Amino acid sequence: MRVESPYEAIRDFLFSNVNKQFLIFLFFVLLSGIFWLTITLNETYERELKVPVEVVGIPKNVVLTSPSTDTIRTIIRDKGWMIVAYLYGERLPTITLNYRNYDRGNGSGVVSSSDLKRLLMQRLEISTNVISVKPERLEFFYNNGERKRVPVRWRGRVIPQQLYFISQVSYTPDSVDVYAAPEKLDSIRVVYTEPLNYAGFRDTLTVDSRLSHTNDMKVVPERVQVEFFTDVLTEETIDGVPVQCLNMPKGKVLRTFPARVKVHFVAGASQIRHLHPEDFIVVADYREIAQGSSDKCNLYLQSVPHGITRATLDSKQVDYLIEED
């Protein structure tokens, strides 16, 4: 018995009576599809395109503070097949602007809508009509290399889990170079990140963020890495904080009973290990004592270490004695 080869089996299957009819049907479907596509692409359409624009011919002593490449939006009218070529082919042009032709000499350059339309039409096919161009004008900004080094700071809403707090924020890099007009550089003190929005974390959070700035200034680099370090909030009490006296006249000494007091506070668990009583400043004011008639003096918590919150004195009034030195 003769066994058919795979080729013969496929041939017999495709050219059986039933499959012949199916293949003929597919052929006419394909033919009608090509016919429909030809008619459709031969119609005239309007479509919005995004066209890149690039500033060229920039002198070596000039630094563009705005992006050297921008984008304009234009509505064109042409046959469907040409629009498809613009959208999916390599026919979409890049408009190049010669710096010297549009420099106004005051740190900026302006290209009008009519100039943009003219430059665009020079790079499109003859059959293509440009209906509109947006924006109405294109601006670029520059300076002669003036720059300023400023620190980076974050902004936004960054909230760790309950019972945690942000103990430290680190930036890489922590400063950036800002290029802008000299009068604007004078007013810039810090550059902020784009608004950050993170919540519910408890481990170190690392964020790669762009820097926020206006179009007439350039920031180098444009991205920074921000690290938020967290710690556990802990209620703690430190004993033995000495009481100091303010405005004490010469020849007199203020003695309080007790001479050292307790301070209650909330801080990170890692910070508590490094705290000492001398890090807190508790004071009594001699002028207040001299004007009063009470046998007790008021105590005030004048200063606490950075990162300490909700600090309160265990005793806000104590007995005192004024002695001659």
Side-chain angles (χ1 to χ4, degrees):
M1 180 178 177
R2 180 175 177 274
V3 179
E4 287 186 339
S5 66
Y7 170 77
E8 292 175 332
I10 294 172
R11 183 194 60 190
D12 292 342
F13 173 76
L14 291 176
F15 291 98
S16 63
N17 289 333
V18 175
N19 289 323
K20 278 183 180 180
Q21 295 177 8
F22 180 68
L23 290 174
I24 292 172
F25 171 75
L26 285 181
F27 172 76
F28 283 106
V29 169
L30 180 62
L31 189 63
S32 61
I34 295 173
F35 182 69
W36 171 83
L37 184 62
T38 302
I39 295 176
T40 301
L41 292 180
N42 204 42
E43 296 289 333
T44 300
Y45 298 93
E46 289 186 3
R47 184 65 181 264
E48 182 179 271
L49 301 178
K50 292 182 178 179
V51 181
V53 179
E54 183 178 7
V55 181
V56 298
I58 304 168
K60 291 183 178 180
N61 63 327
V62 170
V63 176
L64 280 185
T65 55
S66 58
S68 61
T69 302
D70 208 336
T71 302
I72 62 172
R73 291 178 290 113
T74 178
I75 296 178
I76 64 170
R77 180 187 294 130
D78 207 337
K79 299 290 185 181
W81 56 269
M82 183 57 70
I83 290 181
V84 170
Y86 286 135
L87 290 174
Y88 304 106
E90 298 181 355
R91 291 179 175 268
L92 193 62
T94 296
I95 297 179
T96 55
L97 305 175
N98 191 300
Y99 165 86
R100 298 187 184 278
N101 293 342
Y102 301 99
D103 176 26
R104 296 193 299 183
N106 61 349
S108 67
V110 176
V111 188
S112 66
S113 178
S114 59
D115 280 348
L116 287 173
K117 187 174 181 179
R118 175 179 55 81
L119 292 170
L120 182 60
M121 291 179 64
Q122 291 176 358
R123 288 160 176 78
L124 295 175
E125 297 296 328
I126 298 177
S127 61
T128 304
N129 292 322
V130 178
I131 307 302
S132 65
V133 176
K134 293 182 180 180
E136 293 184 356
R137 67 175 191 171
L138 196 65
E139 288 186 283
F140 60 87
F141 301 90
Y142 65 89
N143 73 1
N144 293 317
E146 296 91 347
R147 65 177 180 175
K148 185 178 183 180
R149 190 79 172 173
V150 296
V152 176
R153 294 292 180 268
W154 72 276
R155 65 174 178 177
R157 180 179 175 272
V158 180
I159 303 174
Q161 282 186 7
Q162 191 175 7
L163 301 181
Y164 286 80
F165 77 108
I166 298 173
S167 60
Q168 181 184 351
V169 180
S170 173
Y171 304 90
T172 307
D174 60 359
S175 301
V176 293
D177 290 323
V178 177
Y179 295 83
E183 59 273 14
K184 184 161 188 173
L185 282 177
D186 293 339
S187 64
I188 298 174
R189 298 289 180 268
V190 65
V191 174
Y192 291 96
T193 65
E194 291 184 339
L196 306 179
N197 187 15
Y198 296 91
F201 63 95
R202 62 180 183 180
D203 297 324
T204 300
L205 174 66
T206 302
V207 180
D208 183 59
S209 174
R210 290 184 60 85
L211 295 175
S212 179
H213 59 85
T214 56
N215 288 333
D216 58 348
M217 59 185 284
K218 180 179 182 179
V219 177
V220 180
E222 292 190 341
R223 304 188 72 91
V224 296
Q225 187 179 81
V226 187
E227 287 185 283
F228 297 90
F229 298 91
T230 59
D231 201 354
V232 181
L233 285 173
T234 304
E235 292 187 6
E236 189 59 68
T237 299
I238 192 166
D239 195 4
V241 178
V243 178
Q244 303 177 33
C245 185
L246 296 179
N247 303 312
M248 197 70 185
K250 291 182 179 181
K252 293 182 181 294
V253 177
L254 174 69
R255 302 191 185 280
T256 61
F257 304 95
R260 293 175 177 268
V261 295
K262 296 179 181 179
V263 177
H264 305 287
F265 60 90
V266 174
S270 60
Q271 184 181 13
I272 291 173
R273 297 192 295 268
H274 305 288
L275 291 176
H276 302 90
E278 292 73 18
D279 297 330
F280 297 79
I281 298 178
V282 176
V283 299
D285 191 343
Y286 175 80
R287 292 177 182 175
E288 183 181 290
I289 296 172
Q291 293 175 359
S293 57
S294 173
D295 58 351
K296 292 183 178 293
C297 67
N298 295 322
L299 298 182
Y300 301 95
L301 186 58
Q302 187 182 61
S303 177
V304 298
H306 177 73
I308 299 297
T309 61
R310 289 183 271 175
T312 58
L313 288 168
D314 183 59
S315 300
K316 295 185 178 180
Q317 287 188 328
V318 293
D319 295 324
Y320 70 93
L321 179 66
I322 298 177
E323 298 180 343
E324 299 290 335
D325 190 2

PDB file of all heavy atoms in Angstrom, residues 63-79:
ATOM      1  N   VAL A  63      23.993  79.088  25.607  1.00  0.00           N
ATOM      2  CA  VAL A  63      23.380  77.892  26.185  1.00  0.00           C
ATOM      3  C   VAL A  63      21.863  78.058  26.117  1.00  0.00           C
ATOM      4  O   VAL A  63      21.308  79.031  26.637  1.00  0.00           O
ATOM      5  CB  VAL A  63      23.800  77.698  27.652  1.00  0.00           C
ATOM      6  CG1 VAL A  63      23.071  76.502  28.265  1.00  0.00           C
ATOM      7  CG2 VAL A  63      25.300  77.509  27.751  1.00  0.00           C
ATOM      8  N   LEU A  64      21.212  77.134  25.421  1.00  0.00           N
ATOM      9  CA  LEU A  64      19.751  77.161  25.371  1.00  0.00           C
ATOM     10  C   LEU A  64      19.215  76.751  26.731  1.00  0.00           C
ATOM     11  O   LEU A  64      19.521  75.676  27.241  1.00  0.00           O
ATOM     12  CB  LEU A  64      19.217  76.211  24.302  1.00  0.00           C
ATOM     13  CG  LEU A  64      19.226  76.677  22.852  1.00  0.00           C
ATOM     14  CD1 LEU A  64      18.535  75.646  21.971  1.00  0.00           C
ATOM     15  CD2 LEU A  64      18.538  78.021  22.689  1.00  0.00           C
ATOM     16  N   THR A  65      18.400  77.613  27.336  1.00  0.00           N
ATOM     17  CA  THR A  65      17.789  77.273  28.623  1.00  0.00           C
ATOM     18  C   THR A  65      16.445  76.583  28.432  1.00  0.00           C
ATOM     19  O   THR A  65      15.920  75.981  29.362  1.00  0.00           O
ATOM     20  CB  THR A  65      17.603  78.534  29.475  1.00  0.00           C
ATOM     21  OG1 THR A  65      16.839  79.506  28.739  1.00  0.00           O
ATOM     22  CG2 THR A  65      18.944  79.141  29.825  1.00  0.00           C
ATOM     23  N   SER A  66      15.874  76.681  27.249  1.00  0.00           N
ATOM     24  CA  SER A  66      14.669  75.922  26.911  1.00  0.00           C
ATOM     25  C   SER A  66      15.098  74.705  26.096  1.00  0.00           C
ATOM     26  O   SER A  66      16.215  74.668  25.580  1.00  0.00           O
ATOM     27  CB  SER A  66      13.700  76.791  26.104  1.00  0.00           C
ATOM     28  OG  SER A  66      14.326  77.269  24.927  1.00  0.00           O
ATOM     29  N   PRO A  67      14.250  73.689  25.958  1.00  0.00           N
ATOM     30  CA  PRO A  67      14.642  72.502  25.190  1.00  0.00           C
ATOM     31  C   PRO A  67      14.992  72.862  23.752  1.00  0.00           C
ATOM     32  O   PRO A  67      14.330  73.695  23.120  1.00  0.00           O
ATOM     33  CB  PRO A  67      13.383  71.613  25.247  1.00  0.00           C
ATOM     34  CG  PRO A  67      12.653  72.065  26.466  1.00  0.00           C
ATOM     35  CD  PRO A  67      12.914  73.536  26.572  1.00  0.00           C
ATOM     36  N   SER A  68      16.047  72.243  23.212  1.00  0.00           N
ATOM     37  CA  SER A  68      16.451  72.528  21.835  1.00  0.00           C
ATOM     38  C   SER A  68      15.478  71.920  20.829  1.00  0.00           C
ATOM     39  O   SER A  68      15.427  72.330  19.677  1.00  0.00           O
ATOM     40  CB  SER A  68      17.861  71.988  21.577  1.00  0.00           C
ATOM     41  OG  SER A  68      17.896  70.586  21.765  1.00  0.00           O
ATOM     42  N   THR A  69      14.726  70.925  21.279  1.00  0.00           N
ATOM     43  CA  THR A  69      13.733  70.283  20.409  1.00  0.00           C
ATOM     44  C   THR A  69      12.355  70.447  21.014  1.00  0.00           C
ATOM     45  O   THR A  69      12.147  70.153  22.193  1.00  0.00           O
ATOM     46  CB  THR A  69      14.046  68.782  20.230  1.00  0.00           C
ATOM     47  OG1 THR A  69      15.352  68.645  19.691  1.00  0.00           O
ATOM     48  CG2 THR A  69      13.049  68.135  19.297  1.00  0.00           C
ATOM     49  N   ASP A  70      11.427  70.928  20.219  1.00  0.00           N
ATOM     50  CA  ASP A  70      10.049  71.116  20.661  1.00  0.00           C
ATOM     51  C   ASP A  70       9.126  70.426  19.663  1.00  0.00           C
ATOM     52  O   ASP A  70       9.581  69.784  18.719  1.00  0.00           O
ATOM     53  CB  ASP A  70       9.723  72.608  20.772  1.00  0.00           C
ATOM     54  CG  ASP A  70       8.636  72.868  21.813  1.00  0.00           C
ATOM     55  OD1 ASP A  70       7.857  71.948  22.082  1.00  0.00           O
ATOM     56  OD2 ASP A  70       8.577  73.993  22.316  1.00  0.00           O
ATOM     57  N   THR A  71       7.841  70.566  19.842  1.00  0.00           N
ATOM     58  CA  THR A  71       6.867  69.930  18.956  1.00  0.00           C
ATOM     59  C   THR A  71       5.750  70.904  18.655  1.00  0.00           C
ATOM     60  O   THR A  71       5.266  71.619  19.550  1.00  0.00           O
ATOM     61  CB  THR A  71       6.278  68.663  19.604  1.00  0.00           C
ATOM     62  OG1 THR A  71       7.335  67.767  19.916  1.00  0.00           O
ATOM     63  CG2 THR A  71       5.315  67.974  18.652  1.00  0.00           C
ATOM     64  N   ILE A  72       5.343  70.954  17.390  1.00  0.00           N
ATOM     65  CA  ILE A  72       4.170  71.722  17.005  1.00  0.00           C
ATOM     66  C   ILE A  72       3.094  70.752  16.523  1.00  0.00           C
ATOM     67  O   ILE A  72       3.387  69.628  16.102  1.00  0.00           O
ATOM     68  CB  ILE A  72       4.482  72.758  15.899  1.00  0.00           C
ATOM     69  CG1 ILE A  72       4.971  72.054  14.619  1.00  0.00           C
ATOM     70  CG2 ILE A  72       5.484  73.781  16.387  1.00  0.00           C
ATOM     71  CD1 ILE A  72       5.112  72.997  13.443  1.00  0.00           C
ATOM     72  N   ARG A  73       1.853  71.192  16.603  1.00  0.00           N
ATOM     73  CA  ARG A  73       0.724  70.385  16.127  1.00  0.00           C
ATOM     74  C   ARG A  73       0.136  71.060  14.894  1.00  0.00           C
ATOM     75  O   ARG A  73      -0.168  72.259  14.929  1.00  0.00           O
ATOM     76  CB  ARG A  73      -0.325  70.243  17.217  1.00  0.00           C
ATOM     77  CG  ARG A  73       0.150  69.385  18.387  1.00  0.00           C
ATOM     78  CD  ARG A  73      -0.874  69.271  19.497  1.00  0.00           C
ATOM     79  NE  ARG A  73      -1.024  70.539  20.196  1.00  0.00           N
ATOM     80  CZ  ARG A  73      -2.122  71.285  20.170  1.00  0.00           C
ATOM     81  NH1 ARG A  73      -3.170  70.911  19.448  1.00  0.00           N
ATOM     82  NH2 ARG A  73      -2.174  72.416  20.843  1.00  0.00           N
ATOM     83  N   THR A  74       0.003  70.305  13.842  1.00  0.00           N
ATOM     84  CA  THR A  74      -0.525  70.865  12.595  1.00  0.00           C
ATOM     85  C   THR A  74      -1.631  69.976  12.044  1.00  0.00           C
ATOM     86  O   THR A  74      -1.583  68.749  12.189  1.00  0.00           O
ATOM     87  CB  THR A  74       0.594  71.016  11.549  1.00  0.00           C
ATOM     88  OG1 THR A  74       0.043  71.524  10.333  1.00  0.00           O
ATOM     89  CG2 THR A  74       1.270  69.694  11.253  1.00  0.00           C
ATOM     90  N   ILE A  75      -2.619  70.594  11.442  1.00  0.00           N
ATOM     91  CA  ILE A  75      -3.687  69.856  10.763  1.00  0.00           C
ATOM     92  C   ILE A  75      -3.429  69.962   9.264  1.00  0.00           C
ATOM     93  O   ILE A  75      -3.318  71.067   8.713  1.00  0.00           O
ATOM     94  CB  ILE A  75      -5.077  70.417  11.113  1.00  0.00           C
ATOM     95  CG1 ILE A  75      -5.349  70.229  12.605  1.00  0.00           C
ATOM     96  CG2 ILE A  75      -6.165  69.726  10.288  1.00  0.00           C
ATOM     97  CD1 ILE A  75      -6.668  70.800  13.068  1.00  0.00           C
ATOM     98  N   ILE A  76      -3.308  68.802   8.604  1.00  0.00           N
ATOM     99  CA  ILE A  76      -3.039  68.774   7.172  1.00  0.00           C
ATOM    100  C   ILE A  76      -4.203  68.123   6.435  1.00  0.00           C
ATOM    101  O   ILE A  76      -5.002  67.395   7.021  1.00  0.00           O
ATOM    102  CB  ILE A  76      -1.731  68.008   6.860  1.00  0.00           C
ATOM    103  CG1 ILE A  76      -1.874  66.534   7.258  1.00  0.00           C
ATOM    104  CG2 ILE A  76      -0.549  68.652   7.541  1.00  0.00           C
ATOM    105  CD1 ILE A  76      -0.754  65.663   6.767  1.00  0.00           C
ATOM    106  N   ARG A  77      -4.284  68.407   5.131  1.00  0.00           N
ATOM    107  CA  ARG A  77      -5.296  67.789   4.278  1.00  0.00           C
ATOM    108  C   ARG A  77      -4.593  67.166   3.069  1.00  0.00           C
ATOM    109  O   ARG A  77      -3.829  67.836   2.378  1.00  0.00           O
ATOM    110  CB  ARG A  77      -6.327  68.812   3.811  1.00  0.00           C
ATOM    111  CG  ARG A  77      -7.411  68.186   2.910  1.00  0.00           C
ATOM    112  CD  ARG A  77      -8.329  69.227   2.308  1.00  0.00           C
ATOM    113  NE  ARG A  77      -9.125  69.877   3.333  1.00  0.00           N
ATOM    114  CZ  ARG A  77      -9.243  71.204   3.468  1.00  0.00           C
ATOM    115  NH1 ARG A  77      -8.585  71.994   2.636  1.00  0.00           N
ATOM    116  NH2 ARG A  77     -10.002  71.718   4.396  1.00  0.00           N
ATOM    117  N   ASP A  78      -4.867  65.877   2.812  1.00  0.00           N
ATOM    118  CA  ASP A  78      -4.263  65.188   1.676  1.00  0.00           C
ATOM    119  C   ASP A  78      -4.986  63.861   1.466  1.00  0.00           C
ATOM    120  O   ASP A  78      -5.877  63.492   2.235  1.00  0.00           O
ATOM    121  CB  ASP A  78      -2.770  64.957   1.917  1.00  0.00           C
ATOM    122  CG  ASP A  78      -1.987  64.869   0.604  1.00  0.00           C
ATOM    123  OD1 ASP A  78      -2.607  64.556  -0.435  1.00  0.00           O
ATOM    124  OD2 ASP A  78      -0.765  65.109   0.629  1.00  0.00           O
ATOM    125  N   LYS A  79      -4.565  63.148   0.427  1.00  0.00           N
ATOM    126  CA  LYS A  79      -5.101  61.825   0.157  1.00  0.00           C
ATOM    127  C   LYS A  79      -4.763  60.887   1.314  1.00  0.00           C
ATOM    128  O   LYS A  79      -3.753  61.052   2.008  1.00  0.00           O
ATOM    129  CB  LYS A  79      -4.527  61.262  -1.139  1.00  0.00           C
ATOM    130  CG  LYS A  79      -4.842  62.096  -2.383  1.00  0.00           C
ATOM    131  CD  LYS A  79      -6.318  62.022  -2.750  1.00  0.00           C
ATOM    132  CE  LYS A  79      -6.581  62.747  -4.064  1.00  0.00           C
ATOM    133  NZ  LYS A  79      -8.019  62.713  -4.441  1.00  0.00           N
TER     134      LYS A  79
END
